[in-house]
Amino acid sequence: MPPLLSQPANDVELSNLRGPFYQDGCLSQLVEGGAACQSEGSSRSNGPDLLQCVAMLLFVFLDTMWLQELPSLAIPAMILAVPVQLWMVRVASRGSTMELVLEASLFMWLVSNSIWMCCEFLWDDPEPCGFLANIGFVERLSNDRWFYPFGLLIGVIIMFVTVAVLASFYVALAVASRRSRRSLALCSPPELTNGSAAHVFVLGLPRQVYRELYILPWLCSDMSWGFCNFLMSKKQPVGAIAPFCISCAGCAAAMLGLDSMRREVATRECSGALLNLSEVLWVLGNVCWALEDVWTDDTDTTARLVSLCLFVSGGILSVASSLCASRHS
């Protein structure tokens, strides 16, 4: 089997194999432009780096402490996660547009969830949660309960805009990828086209974009949950559509994550596979928690325990992924 069929394409291999076909620029455009090339130093295109694993661990820890209603740990985790994710956006701005959009989407999700979490700690119960009840101005602020639906609405709007921008990006990239694949078919013979496209594209998208495709349905699931909480804060009926969206979008995100993990295992990317599995468990934990919150209003202890187990397992895998990433680097 030719080397191009057994490992991802790169500039040196393609240049040596094809010579004039690569020199004409069509295949270079595919690998460098359409697929956010590896020469840019893309951390997402070469597997997760240590900072990505740390960010994922912080996200899991934040949700775990939120689930346990421990603001003394959840708020410090939020304060630490925001600058870490902002730094990742800054690093991504030096690379491809793909990385910048993905990291910026995660940052906006973090901002939205931070607003949502703080609102719940202050106004979801008759008095502020945990140590916040002992802070004077926080206790006085908790008496103004009209802030609760307002804050939830702001969070939902932020997530809606993020989902719209990210979906538009995926559509535009899918169109550009199709054009790149056509250019590859015109510039290269079938034996090269089939091999390189199999490594560069998955379902019509560049492989490194497909690796993070789960983010879009997961954001839709989280946005639906936030909208449910907004309706509940206004004492309005939730209905069946929003919980249905939570379930379907969450399951779609988990399935995409599992397929991405399968591909990482096939290429022997230990850190990437562990991180993908950690993300899947995190998503499933959130879906279980969301449905429990919407249907039972935080009264089903068993469902919350399942979510906790999924979060803890995801956190353990995030640590394992971090160790693999640090060893590989």
Side-chain angles (χ1 to χ4, degrees):
M1 181 178 291
L4 187 59
L5 300 180
S6 60
Q7 57 187 3
N10 59 52
D11 292 346
V12 176
E13 290 172 343
L14 292 174
S15 179
N16 291 339
L17 284 170
R18 292 307 311 145
F21 284 102
Y22 187 77
Q23 303 298 329
D24 65 8
C26 289
L27 199 53
S28 176
Q29 180 185 10
L30 168 68
V31 178
E32 296 175 0
C37 68
Q38 298 174 354
S39 62
E40 288 180 327
S42 168
S43 61
R44 289 191 181 272
S45 62
N46 293 318
D49 59 17
L50 182 59
L51 191 59
Q52 282 180 263
C53 300
V54 170
M56 184 63 206
L57 180 60
L58 286 172
F59 294 163
V60 174
F61 183 77
L62 173 63
D63 276 350
T64 303
M65 296 303 104
W66 185 359
L67 173 66
Q68 294 298 101
E69 298 181 354
L70 295 174
S72 57
L73 295 175
I75 292 177
M78 175 194 71
I79 294 173
L80 184 58
V82 168
V84 168
Q85 186 59 36
L86 189 60
W87 178 260
M88 292 186 67
V89 173
R90 182 177 181 273
V91 172
S93 66
R94 303 172 184 172
S96 66
T97 304
M98 174 200 73
E99 282 191 89
L100 178 60
V101 171
L102 291 174
E103 297 298 349
S105 298
L106 287 175
F107 177 75
M108 296 309 297
W109 164 83
L110 182 59
V111 170
S112 172
N113 265 244
S114 298
I115 297 173
W116 182 2
M117 181 184 71
C118 291
C119 287
E120 287 208 345
F121 282 159
L122 286 175
W123 295 293
D124 193 41
D125 294 324
E127 62 179 20
C129 186
F131 79 96
L132 297 175
N134 300 323
I135 303 177
F137 80 91
V138 172
E139 186 177 7
R140 291 191 296 271
L141 183 63
S142 66
N143 295 325
D144 297 324
R145 304 198 66 83
W146 69 270
F147 278 118
Y148 188 25
F150 177 75
L152 293 177
L153 181 60
I154 293 298
V156 170
I157 291 174
I158 292 174
M159 273 198 279
F160 177 79
V161 173
T162 303
V163 167
V165 172
L166 188 58
S168 301
F169 165 76
Y170 279 131
V171 170
L173 191 57
V175 173
S177 298
R178 177 173 295 184
R179 293 175 180 173
S180 296
R181 294 183 72 180
R182 288 176 180 174
S183 298
L184 177 63
L186 292 173
C187 296
S188 306
E191 64 272 13
L192 178 61
T193 302
N194 295 334
S196 59
H199 289 288
V200 175
F201 290 102
V202 179
L203 298 181
L205 288 173
R207 182 177 175 181
Q208 52 268 44
V209 178
Y210 178 80
R211 183 181 293 160
E212 306 297 334
L213 185 59
Y214 85 94
I215 293 176
L216 181 59
W218 163 65
L219 284 176
C220 292
S221 177
D222 223 34
M223 179 181 66
S224 301
W225 183 12
F227 183 68
C228 287
N229 275 189
F230 168 72
L231 292 177
M232 293 166 67
S233 70
K234 299 285 287 184
K235 307 300 182 182
Q236 297 181 7
V238 172
I241 296 179
F244 178 77
C245 292
I246 292 173
S247 303
C248 292
C251 290
M255 290 175 64
L256 287 170
L258 287 173
D259 186 60
S260 182
M261 182 194 71
R262 177 184 65 83
R263 297 175 188 277
E264 295 292 313
V265 171
T267 56
R268 299 182 180 180
E269 288 285 348
C270 174
S271 179
L274 289 173
L275 186 61
N276 281 136
L277 184 55
S278 171
E279 292 164 346
V280 168
L281 294 177
W282 177 48
V283 168
L284 292 177
N286 272 284
V287 172
C288 182
W289 181 15
L291 295 177
E292 183 275 331
D293 179 40
V294 172
W295 286 337
T296 71
D297 196 16
D298 291 337
T299 59
D300 192 330
T301 306
T302 302
R304 293 174 70 86
L305 182 60
V306 171
S307 295
L308 178 62
C309 292
L310 290 170
F311 286 154
V312 171
S313 301
I316 293 173
L317 290 174
S318 296
V319 173
S321 179
S322 302
L323 295 176
C324 287
S326 61
R327 185 178 64 177
H328 183 269
S329 61

